[in-house]
Amino acid sequence: MSEREIRFGGVRYGFSVGHGPTSLSALTRKLGGLDADRFVIVADAGLSEEQIDEIARCAGEVAPTTVLPVLADEKAKSLDVVNSLAERLIPTGVTRRSVIIALGGGLVGNMAGLLSALVFRGLRLVHIPTTLLAMSDSVLSLKQAVNSSVGKNHLGTFHAPVFVWNHLDFLRTLPADETRSALCEMIKNVLGIVPDRYADVAARLRADAQYTPEDIAWFIDLCVDAKSAVMRDDLHERGDALVLEYGHTIGHAAELLTGGELRHGYAIGLGMLAAARIARELGLLTAEEEAAHRELLVLNGAPTVLPAGVTLEGVLRTISLDNKRGYVKGTAGTRDLILLEGLGKPHRPGGAQITQVPEAVVRLGIESITAEVA
């Protein structure tokens, strides 16, 4: 069992990583320290009954516990579903002393997180992530958001958990594609924040995604280090921490256009490849630095071309509604992107981490990840 403190600005919360029966016993003790009158577990309906029951037993030893299953589907990540959860939650007898436990991947974590931020203007939140992507990325943020009908993560706020409990046993049945997808976000951290870890990561990555618990704990620790480095004084992710959105503008568009069928991490990997090509076209990255993006993704076994049916025009149309618009004054004929001017060096024209890229260059970047060109 390893424990450390996450600090983003004035916000601090515990972050534990463990596995085996001792991890669950320690979780019960940790929940007992919250002095909660009730726990409500918002659980991914796709988890096994045994997995949900394990956590429900831990919470139930401390206080009355209710489980609210929710469909972990990109189409369900909406205010309508959050409202339906509230309609199921409030009659359970929750009070301001109650605690919401998010049990699932990043999607469920976001819905439960936004729910906890809104009910009674803020209930306490505990994250128990069940996917590597959530353990290494989404719970290392205060952002809680759902989609609007026209784009990803348009509706949300900031709400910190009281602690995060990473129980690695949940990853035993995780599909290999889910592991590879998660590690794409870790690769983003290496390329954008900690390029000094490049060689170590390249040596550890396996296309078959067969890792030991020690490997997984190492990957998670790297992500904690990287995200803490840029969020320590930027908890709302508007300054230095904007680099965490590297690859997300084009990646989110591709993810949305597939209705979530393209895994989030895979989408971000593709978005980074496009961003690297754009940066090279603008003279910001060398050919070797662009190639470094592809090398790590290939070592990880991640896709390097967009799925069939995702068109260049569709991506361009969708990124015009990206939620990062407005950090700088808009310029006609351009798209706002986060780019690198070297590994670990975000491009900061005018001091902001937003580059206004001519649409013709954005097209070249997107074309570089289409099957016809790649």
Side-chain angles (χ1 to χ4, degrees), residues 27-362:
L27 172 60
T28 299
R29 292 194 296 272
K30 190 82 169 178
L31 292 172
L34 298 180
D35 190 30
D37 61 1
R38 177 174 292 276
F39 294 106
V40 177
I41 301 174
V42 178
D44 178 352
L47 293 173
S48 71
E49 186 175 340
E50 179 184 4
Q51 290 173 317
I52 295 173
D53 285 348
E54 276 185 330
I55 302 305
R57 280 195 298 271
C58 291
E61 291 181 23
V62 177
T65 298
T66 302
V67 176
L68 300 180
V70 64
L71 186 64
D73 185 280
E74 195 69 28
K75 299 182 183 72
K77 189 181 174 185
S78 68
L79 278 181
D80 284 343
V81 173
V82 171
N83 181 62
S84 71
L85 284 169
E87 290 174 343
R88 294 158 60 193
L89 177 144
I90 293 171
T92 66
V94 293
T95 74
R96 293 179 184 275
R97 287 182 53 217
S98 302
V99 174
I100 292 177
I101 297 175
L103 180 62
L107 196 152
V108 170
N110 263 266
M111 289 192 286
L114 186 58
L115 176 72
S116 66
L118 296 177
V119 173
F120 304 152
R121 298 185 182 90
L123 294 180
R124 289 176 292 172
L125 170 68
V126 168
H127 277 301
I128 303 180
T130 61
T131 67
L132 180 56
L133 182 58
M135 293 178 185
S136 62
D137 188 66
S138 63
V139 299
L140 295 169
S141 173
L142 310 183
K143 295 187 294 186
Q144 316 294 344
V146 296
N147 302 335
S148 72
S149 61
V150 293
K152 277 185 65 68
N153 299 332
H154 283 172
L155 308 169
T157 189
F158 295 89
H159 188 60
V162 290
F163 69 83
V164 175
W165 199 269
N166 300 285
H167 185 55
L168 297 186
D169 291 11
F170 283 125
L171 304 184
R172 288 176 179 167
T173 58
L174 196 70
D177 274 321
E178 287 295 331
T179 298
R180 296 185 192 102
S181 172
L183 292 178
C184 288
E185 284 278 14
M186 181 199 66
I187 289 169
K188 174 205 69 182
N189 293 332
V190 172
L191 294 169
I193 305 170
V194 287
D196 56 302
R197 310 287 290 272
Y198 190 102
D200 288 341
V201 168
R204 283 182 181 260
L205 286 172
R206 296 174 53 96
D208 63 7
Q210 297 300 305
Y211 299 108
T212 66
E214 290 72 27
D215 288 328
I216 294 298
W218 190 90
F219 290 143
I220 292 172
D221 206 48
L222 181 152
C223 292
V224 173
D225 289 343
K227 296 194 79 167
S228 295
V230 295
M231 287 185 63
R232 188 168 291 115
D233 299 311
D234 185 19
L235 74 166
H236 290 152
E237 302 181 38
R238 294 170 180 163
D240 288 347
L242 265 178
V243 70
L244 297 171
E245 296 288 330
Y246 184 52
H248 281 59
T249 299
I250 292 171
H252 270 171
E255 185 181 5
L256 189 69
L257 289 168
T258 65
E261 290 184 15
L262 176 64
R263 286 173 168 82
H264 174 77
Y266 284 171
I268 301 316
L270 291 167
M272 290 192 292
L273 288 177
R277 175 58 56 86
I278 290 166
R280 185 180 169 197
E281 292 286 340
L282 295 175
L284 299 174
L285 289 183
T286 65
E288 292 76 19
E289 289 167 332
E290 181 189 5
H293 287 62
R294 183 176 294 270
E295 179 185 26
L296 288 186
L297 291 170
V298 170
L299 287 171
N300 184 37
T304 57
V305 296
L306 289 166
V310 178
T311 67
L312 186 153
E313 294 302 329
V315 173
L316 277 175
R317 183 174 60 253
T318 305
I319 64 175
S320 70
L321 299 174
D322 184 65
N323 64 3
K324 289 175 287 301
R325 291 172 299 137
Y327 283 110
V328 295
K329 186 176 180 180
T331 301
T334 67
R335 294 287 186 266
D336 293 354
L337 295 174
I338 294 165
L339 300 178
L340 302 180
E341 59 182 39
L343 299 187
K345 298 177 183 178
H347 186 48
R348 298 173 181 265
Q353 276 195 50
I354 299 292
T355 304
Q356 296 189 316
V357 182
E359 188 173 298
V361 181
V362 177

